[in-house]
């Protein structure tokens, strides 16, 4: 199958729903194992930091959540762009499904950052460039969710949400580069593609495990949200009616 054929098949709600059915248990198992492994490794076996002591361990939740909050916004924005350009309804389904997941991850990032900030900076909140731009990201996610609920027309809601998602992408590089562009309390990035990590391997490996776990968990939750949204949108189609009948027959 060519990439173009795969792309068009992926645009079919029915094909996506049935194709991903077998992925769910595998993604759930792998993400669950990695989450348990990374959590136990990071909280119980990684050594304390020589300056921050044990308070640094919040990074095993904070960093993966922040990573996925940013990546998830791009997923949402790209899906919105695909929906507007190729008028692919599955893309709009993915865009809508990605919004609440991204909002939850952004909220988790802000909360864990506040928990880390209290013993480190002496305050729960600071109008720091990185923190403020992350708060704007949360508002963008919530704004897209609000737009989806505000319009009676699904088509109008999808287009308005996609437009806001695309406009909001300017905030992502600001978040990433804020610690470099402005004087900020937030420490520079621990992991960079252009340089070696600034964290010891005994702390790095459990962090990488948690990041991988979050990526797989994100894929799992996005697929589940998307499958649920497909059933909502396609509820009157014959294939969904037949699916419901088949499920009803099962013991």
């Amino acid at each position: 199958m060519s990439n173009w054929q795969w792309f068009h098949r992926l645009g079919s709600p029915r094909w996506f729903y049935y194709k991903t059915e077998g992925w769910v248990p595998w993604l759930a198992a792998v993400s669950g194992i990695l989450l348990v492994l990374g959590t136990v490794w990071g909280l119980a076996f990684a050594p304390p930091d020589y300056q921050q002591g044990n308070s640094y361990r919040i990074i095993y939740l904070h960093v993966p959540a922040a990573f996925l909050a940013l990546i998830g916004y791009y997923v949402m924005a790209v899906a919105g762009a695909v929906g507007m350009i190729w008028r692919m309804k599955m893309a709009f389904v993915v865009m809508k499904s990605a919004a609440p997941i991204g909002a939850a991850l952004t909220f988790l990032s802000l909360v864990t950052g506040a928990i880390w900030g209290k013993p480190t900076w002496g305050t729960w909140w600071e109008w720091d460039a990185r923190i403020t731009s992350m708060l704007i990201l949360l508002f963008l996610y919530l704004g897209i969710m609000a737009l989806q609920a505000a319009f009676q027309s699904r088509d109008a809601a999808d287009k308005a949400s996609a437009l806001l998602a695309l406009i909001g992408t300017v905030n992502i590089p600001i978040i990433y580069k804020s610690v470099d562009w402005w004087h900020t309390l937030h420490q520079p990035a621990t992991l960079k593609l252009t340089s070696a990590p600034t964290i010891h391997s005994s702390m790095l490996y459990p962090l990488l495990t948690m990041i991988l776990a979050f990526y797989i968990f994100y894929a799992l939750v996005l697929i589940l949200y998307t499958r649920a949204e497909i059933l909502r949108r396609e509820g009157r189609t014959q294939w969904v009616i037949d699916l419901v009948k088949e499920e009803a027959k099962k013991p």
Side-chain angles (χ1 to χ4, degrees), residues 211-232:
I211 291 172
L212 178 60
F214 265 66
Y215 269 92
I216 298 174
F217 184 71
Y218 177 85
L220 169 65
V221 177
L222 181 60
I223 287 172
L224 291 174
Y225 265 76
T226 302
R227 285 164 59 86
E229 183 63 21
I230 286 172
L231 294 180
R232 277 192 288 268

Side-chain angles (χ1 to χ4, degrees), residues 31-58:
S31 63
I33 291 170
L34 289 176
L35 283 169
V36 172
L37 175 62
T39 301
V40 174
W41 195 355
L43 298 184
F45 293 99
D49 183 75
Y50 77 101
Q51 286 184 324
Q52 301 178 36
N54 287 315
S55 65
Y56 89 95
R57 297 183 193 277
I58 200 71

Side-chain angles (χ1 to χ4, degrees), residues 39-243:
T39 301
V40 174
W41 195 355
L43 298 184
F45 293 99
D49 183 75
Y50 77 101
Q51 286 184 324
Q52 301 178 36
N54 287 315
S55 65
Y56 89 95
R57 297 183 193 277
I58 200 71
I59 68 168
Y60 296 115
L61 281 178
H62 175 73
V63 172
F67 274 17
L68 265 299
L70 302 183
I71 296 297
Y73 194 90
Y74 277 130
V75 169
M76 184 177 65
V78 169
V82 170
M84 292 185 72
I85 296 169
W86 284 286
R87 306 198 182 280
M88 185 182 292
K89 57 183 179 180
M90 262 305 301
F92 286 131
V93 174
V94 172
M95 177 194 68
K96 181 180 179 181
S97 302
I101 306 170
L105 288 166
T106 307
F107 182 75
L108 177 61
S109 176
L110 288 169
V111 169
T112 53
I115 293 172
W116 176 80
K118 180 60 177 176
T120 306
W121 299 338
T123 180
W124 295 102
W125 182 266
E126 182 70 30
W127 290 102
D128 173 271
R130 169 64 63 83
I131 301 173
T132 304
S133 52
M134 283 296 292
L135 181 62
I136 293 172
L137 180 66
L138 176 61
F139 290 152
L140 285 168
Y141 275 125
L142 294 177
I144 290 166
M145 293 169 63
L147 284 175
Q148 284 289 329
F151 289 87
Q152 291 186 346
S153 168
R154 180 179 295 160
D155 185 57
D158 287 338
K159 290 179 179 178
S161 300
L163 183 60
L164 177 59
L166 290 170
I167 293 172
T169 55
V170 299
N171 188 47
I172 305 302
I174 293 174
I175 294 172
Y176 182 74
K177 298 295 291 183
S178 59
V179 293
D180 301 320
W181 289 345
W182 295 288
H183 175 71
T184 173
L185 282 175
H186 198 286
Q187 67 186 56
T190 301
L191 302 176
K192 291 184 178 181
L193 295 175
T194 55
S195 59
T198 59
I199 182 173
H200 191 269
S201 60
S202 60
M203 303 174 183
L204 173 64
Y205 294 147
L207 178 58
L208 293 177
T209 302
M210 286 297 287
I211 291 172
L212 178 60
F214 265 66
Y215 269 92
I216 298 174
F217 184 71
Y218 177 85
L220 169 65
V221 177
L222 181 60
I223 287 172
L224 291 174
Y225 265 76
T226 302
R227 285 164 59 86
E229 183 63 21
I230 286 172
L231 294 180
R232 277 192 288 268
R233 295 192 180 207
E234 300 285 305
R236 296 183 179 180
T237 60
Q238 188 60 48
W239 75 268
V240 173
I241 294 172
D242 293 339
L243 177 66

